[in-house]
Amino acid sequence: MNRREFVVAAASLAFAPSAFARSLTEGPVALVTADLEARLVAVALPSGRVRRYVPTLSYPRSIETVGHTAVVAHPELGAVSLVHSPTLTVAHVLHGFDEPRYTAGHPDGRHAYVTDAGRGEVVTLDVLRGRVLHRERVGPLARHVTINPAGRTLWIALGSKARELAIVDVSDRARPRLVRRFRPDFLAHDVGVAPDGRHVWVSSGDRDELLVYDSRTGKVLARPSGDWPPQHVTFARGVAYVTSGWSGTLRVHRLDGRALTRTVVPVGSYNVQHADGWVLTPSLGHGKLCILDERGRVLRSEKVARSSHDACVVTAA
């Protein structure tokens, strides 16, 4: 998208934010990154109909809902965009990162924790004011990140095939503090804390297996199958969803690791997110958004971009 197209598109959004906010009350919306088109795609759920395009900086890669803000990382540009979700307008653009990768949102809806792989840091943001609050060194190649439901602890994978995970205390929301690093039983990729706060799932960067840890004792509780690596994980109450982009599968497990169902999704569907009763997995290679229900059944699979790395769910304020 050239500069003139960006200005025209942004101007068109400025005239209709209230109308779009009203449209969000009709149902939840998926915000999908269009990695090669410098924009987000707002997709109605569960119909899969494209409602609007939201212009951004180039190369939006990851996206995460934090309160009424969607945090978008642009690792190639060293920037983070903060999108006001009720109106779908870019409220702030923050620079000064090296390679921002992924975000975990605090339950308070205000604080976000963004990993910076280039600097080996986790960066605290105030998404309401659009400010960087603190940077904490956690280890090289900080990448996937998750927060426990109580909002007190981050788990961070240090790389796409991580030899170490970092445990970070965020009891002081504005100033995270590295507690320790440890080595999992394999090279880790994604990490997620389940809604019960006890089960921590770690996916693999080099094998078709996952680890389920007890967050209190650090013991491995289960080693469920996850198809070809790398896998990604998200949760609903009582279940975990695991995608394998190379295999083109989404598995549903109980939190203790027991397998329930296995569903075919488009190949290249790596990242996966659950919110408000929907499971979303976009395809990096095909630009398709796959919408599933909480039982792991495919409801729609729609092509929304040339390539799509991530998606989240937003709702009206």
Side-chain angles (χ1 to χ4, degrees):
M1 176 180 286
N2 61 37
R3 183 179 183 278
R4 183 176 182 277
E5 290 172 332
F6 182 91
V7 170
V8 171
S12 68
L13 283 176
F15 288 108
S18 61
F20 190 84
R22 288 194 299 272
S23 76
L24 282 177
T25 63
E26 300 171 6
V29 171
L31 273 184
V32 189
T33 61
D35 301 25
L36 304 178
E37 296 155 89
R39 64 188 184 187
L40 308 176
V41 185
V43 178
L45 297 173
S47 70
R49 178 174 59 88
V50 174
R51 286 190 177 178
R52 186 174 296 273
Y53 298 105
V54 184
T56 68
L57 297 178
S58 299
Y59 309 118
R61 299 296 189 194
S62 71
I63 185 168
E64 184 75 24
T65 302
V66 182
H68 298 301
T69 301
V71 180
V72 184
H74 309 265
E76 286 86 349
L77 303 181
V80 170
S81 297
L82 304 181
V83 178
H84 182 237
S85 59
T87 57
L88 289 192
T89 55
V90 177
H92 303 278
V93 177
L94 306 179
H95 297 275
F97 299 84
D98 191 345
E99 189 184 346
R101 297 300 309 200
Y102 292 95
T103 301
H106 194 278
D108 68 4
R110 179 168 196 152
H111 294 89
Y113 305 100
V114 180
T115 54
D116 189 332
R119 296 186 178 186
E121 297 175 339
V122 62
V123 183
T124 309
L125 308 182
D126 181 333
V127 300
L128 299 185
R129 295 186 177 182
R131 295 180 180 176
V132 172
L133 300 178
H134 183 69
R135 300 175 183 272
E136 176 75 359
R137 178 76 179 175
V138 294
L141 304 178
R143 193 176 171 96
H144 282 289
V145 56
T146 185
I147 190 168
N148 73 332
R152 298 182 65 87
T153 306
L154 300 175
W155 291 56
I156 301 172
L158 302 179
S160 60
K161 294 183 179 180
R163 296 185 180 277
E164 288 187 308
L165 301 176
I167 308 298
V168 179
D169 179 9
V170 287
S171 54
D172 181 344
R173 300 174 189 181
R175 298 184 66 85
R177 178 178 62 86
L178 176 66
V179 176
R180 66 187 178 96
R181 295 199 295 257
F182 77 95
R183 291 198 169 200
D185 289 356
F186 53 47
L187 300 181
H189 186 79
D190 194 15
V191 60
V193 181
D196 66 0
R198 178 190 175 193
H199 295 86
V200 182
W201 284 56
V202 179
S203 77
S204 175
D206 70 345
R207 65 189 67 183
D208 59 350
E209 184 182 49
L210 296 95
L211 296 171
V212 182
Y213 285 95
D214 185 317
S215 65
R216 295 170 296 187
T217 67
K219 293 182 178 180
V220 175
L221 302 176
R223 296 174 177 268
S225 174
D227 296 323
W228 284 1
Q231 311 92 4
H232 294 81
V233 61
T234 191
F235 303 95
R237 186 176 297 275
V239 295
Y241 305 95
V242 178
T243 50
S244 166
W246 282 111
S247 296
T249 58
L250 180 142
R251 288 179 178 261
V252 184
H253 299 261
R254 283 181 30 166
L255 293 184
D256 62 9
R258 192 182 79 180
L260 297 176
T261 64
R262 183 175 182 269
T263 302
V264 174
V265 295
V267 172
S269 299
Y270 292 96
N271 286 311
V272 60
Q273 291 206 35
H274 167 271
D276 298 337
W278 309 106
V279 181
L280 308 177
T281 179
S283 171
L284 187 61
H286 302 286
K288 287 186 176 181
L289 175 68
C290 196
I291 304 167
L292 304 95
D293 65 16
E294 288 189 319
R295 295 178 62 182
R297 298 177 299 189
V298 176
L299 302 177
R300 303 286 298 182
S301 182
E302 298 288 343
K303 185 173 179 64
V304 298
R306 284 185 286 161
S307 175
S308 179
H309 190 90
D310 207 357
C312 70
V313 177
V314 298
T315 55

